[in-house]
Amino acid sequence: MVEIYHEDDGRLDYIKNKTIGIIGYGNQGRAQALNLRDSGLRVIIGNIEDDFKKIAKNDGFDVFAIEEAVSQSDIIFILIPDESIKEIFDQKVKPYLKSSSTLNFASGYNVGFKLLELPSNIDIIMIAPRMIGVGVRENYLNGKGFFSFIAIEQNVTGKAKNTLLALAKGLGTLKKGAVMMSTKEEAILDLFNEQAFGPAFGRVLLTSINVLLEAGYPAEAVLIEMYMSGEMSYTYKKMADIGLIKQTDFHSYTSQYGAMSRGIRYFKLPIKPIMQRTLEEIENGVFTQEWEKKITKLKFKFIKFFATRQKINKLEKQVRKSMKMKLFDIYEEQPPTAEDIEKAKEITNELKMFEKYYET
Ligand code: NDP
């Protein structure tokens, strides 16, 4: 049975005398720090010397070096990007943790896939919002709340659940609902969405664009029709608000009949076995092992460069110019250096495959 928690399940008094240290004042860090403070909790910030530190000070927080914030806190939120967590955790967090303190992550990736050597004398929990930072703040302020996945990885004090639900309430997520699971399950769901639905959707979108362009329709019209209008995001919002099928009421009968009658043509599209393979590679750790390798970071650099050279990218730049829309620097991705090419020799054939894929 899945456990789901709501507003009445959390009690702020469990943590009212605790100091909460937010490590990293970025997307999630700022939103979560402001929400907790507005819930009447004591919050301090640990951040490196950067622009985010200035923002935290402007927001009225006491800001310390990460090591100092960890030493002063009873509850520590690790809100730096997943790929930087291991280094910062080993150097600036772990040596400064008080015993019986609580460590909270906003993603299950590092903990679920056992990438960190966690101390055995602290509680370890997770509150992973299903919402970007700006949304975490907005939905706290408007009282609607936001969904989260929560987990208890280690319960040394026997009070981890009280702390978890109190923090979840302070953040505002219990107003909408928090679903209990393991950190690994959270990481798997997140990676699957990114690796299965995301690229499959991207492929379908690009294929649709290419079919229309090849049939002679102008790029401006095609890109606006397919995604630039932002209409799809309203459909997505309605799916979430009222339901996947119910939202079809917002579309005309012509649109509904066309979609439903032609939809059957994709019935046998062989995406399920590909998605199952992707899920298996995430579950058995093959993906994480691959991503942790140094050569993969180099491979990523090449793939990203090939991806930015795609025809659609140039086309989009041209359309954005002609529609007087803002341009972004993604169009100017730096090519790999001669040194990178030399270092990537052992994966040349694999890279050629990606180069070819992104030419289409
Ligand atoms: P950000 O990219 O916004 O970065 C957060 C902060 O970490 C910034 O202040 C950044 O400063 C700092 N930082 C980055 N690298 C380092 C480093 N090596 N040492 C010290 N500080 C560093 O992160 P997010 O808020 O997006 O993500 C934080 C956590 O929240 C992650 O675990 C993520 O998975 C999770 N999460 C994120 C969501 C989102 O929508 N973004 C949604 C749900 C969960 P600087 O840039 O100056 O280095």
Side-chain angles (χ1 to χ4, degrees):
M1 268 291 279
V2 63
E3 292 173 42
I4 300 165
Y5 294 92
H6 295 286
E7 194 66 359
D8 290 344
D9 298 315
R11 281 180 48 191
L12 288 174
D13 54 331
Y14 280 123
I15 53 169
K16 70 171 187 297
N17 297 320
K18 307 275 186 196
T19 298
I20 303 169
I22 301 285
I23 309 303
Y25 202 72
N27 288 316
Q28 287 295 328
R30 178 165 193 257
Q32 296 197 19
L34 292 170
N35 291 5
L36 292 168
R37 184 173 69 183
D38 287 352
S39 294
L41 299 166
R42 177 172 150 69
V43 179
I44 61 170
I45 310 298
N47 205 86
I48 49 175
E49 293 292 330
D50 63 6
D51 289 344
F52 294 104
K53 181 175 174 177
K54 287 182 209 143
I55 299 172
K57 286 204 153 179
N58 276 341
D59 287 339
F61 285 106
D62 290 334
V63 189
F64 302 92
I66 293 177
E67 299 89 326
E68 179 59 29
V70 173
S71 334
Q72 285 196 31
S73 301
D74 308 295
I75 300 168
I76 296 104
F77 278 48
I78 305 293
L79 296 180
I80 56 179
D82 290 332
E83 52 280 9
S84 308
I85 286 181
K86 184 165 171 39
E87 190 193 334
I88 300 305
F89 180 74
D90 287 345
Q91 292 170 11
K92 300 185 177 181
V93 176
K94 197 174 165 183
Y96 302 91
L97 284 167
K98 290 194 269 193
S99 76
S100 303
S101 54
T102 300
L103 198 55
N104 174 47
F105 291 86
S107 136
Y109 185 79
N110 281 277
V111 177
F113 285 106
K114 313 262 177 252
L115 302 179
L116 306 176
E117 280 176 36
L118 294 164
S120 55
N121 61 343
I122 57 164
D123 287 349
I124 297 165
I125 58 174
M126 177 194 78
I127 304 174
R130 297 351 260 167
M131 184 59 74
I132 59 170
V134 177
V136 164
R137 183 63 182 152
E138 271 174 19
N139 287 294
Y140 177 89
L141 291 173
N142 66 24
K144 288 183 182 163
F146 50 92
F147 287 121
S148 283
F149 293 163
I150 57 174
I152 300 171
E153 180 74 16
Q154 195 165 284
N155 188 1
V156 173
T157 63
K159 297 175 189 157
K161 192 168 179 184
N162 289 343
T163 311
L164 172 67
L165 294 178
L167 290 169
K169 182 169 183 146
L171 285 171
T173 180
L174 294 188
K175 282 239 162 70
K176 189 100 174 193
V179 183
M180 187 72 91
M181 58 182 62
S182 71
T183 52
K184 187 163 181 190
E185 283 170 333
E186 189 277 339
I188 289 170
L189 291 174
D190 204 28
L191 293 174
F192 180 78
N193 195 354
E194 291 159 6
Q195 295 177 26
F197 176 71
F201 173 75
R203 200 69 222 153
V204 168
L205 179 62
L206 267 181
T207 307
S208 316
I209 290 170
N210 284 336
V211 166
L212 290 171
L213 290 174
E214 282 163 24
Y217 294 92
E220 280 74 8
V222 171
L223 268 54
I224 288 171
E225 178 63 35
M226 296 310 301
Y227 70 95
M228 253 184 196
S229 66
E231 189 184 6
M232 194 62 199
S233 58
Y234 283 96
T235 300
Y236 249 79
K237 177 89 180 72
K238 291 294 165 204
M239 281 183 201
D241 289 347
I242 62 168
L244 205 63
I245 303 301
K246 179 72 184 155
Q247 64 79 27
T248 55
D249 289 352
F250 290 107
H251 305 271
S252 68
Y253 288 137
T254 315
S255 152
Q256 290 182 39
Y257 172 72
M260 289 170 188
S261 63
R262 269 51 186 170
I264 201 166
R265 295 176 184 171
Y266 301 96
F267 180 50
K268 291 215 163 105
L269 201 66
I271 49 175
K272 197 169 170 186
I274 304 174
M275 289 188 169
Q276 284 167 329
R277 183 179 152 205
T278 301
L279 179 61
E280 216 175 282
E281 282 180 357
I282 296 170
E283 286 175 334
N284 63 21
V286 165
F287 171 76
T288 311
Q289 281 158 24
E290 180 181 323
W291 177 233
E292 288 304 306
K293 283 187 195 151
K294 219 171 175 184
I295 190 82
T296 310
K297 306 287 187 296
L298 190 58
K299 177 171 146 188
F300 172 52
K301 196 169 171 184
F302 278 86
I303 299 177
K304 196 157 179 202
F305 174 63
F306 298 146
T308 56
R309 281 196 317 185
Q310 283 179 105
K311 205 170 66 190
I312 182 70
N313 212 10
K314 293 194 184 75
L315 209 59
E316 189 188 272
K317 186 177 183 182
Q318 169 209 312
V319 170
R320 291 186 77 94
K321 259 188 189 160
S322 63
M323 301 308 294
K324 299 190 180 2
M325 292 165 81
K326 191 174 175 220
L327 296 176
F328 296 97
D329 59 3
I330 180 82
Y331 310 111
E332 312 300 337
E333 191 76 12
Q334 287 303 312
T337 61
E339 197 190 339
D340 289 336
I341 294 168
E342 178 60 29
K343 278 192 198 154
K345 256 186 174 164
E346 60 178 286
I347 53 167
T348 307
N349 285 341
E350 200 185 340
L351 291 178
K352 275 190 184 143
M353 242 166 50
F354 282 105
E355 188 169 19
K356 199 164 166 31
Y357 170 71
Y358 284 112
E359 269 167 12
T360 59

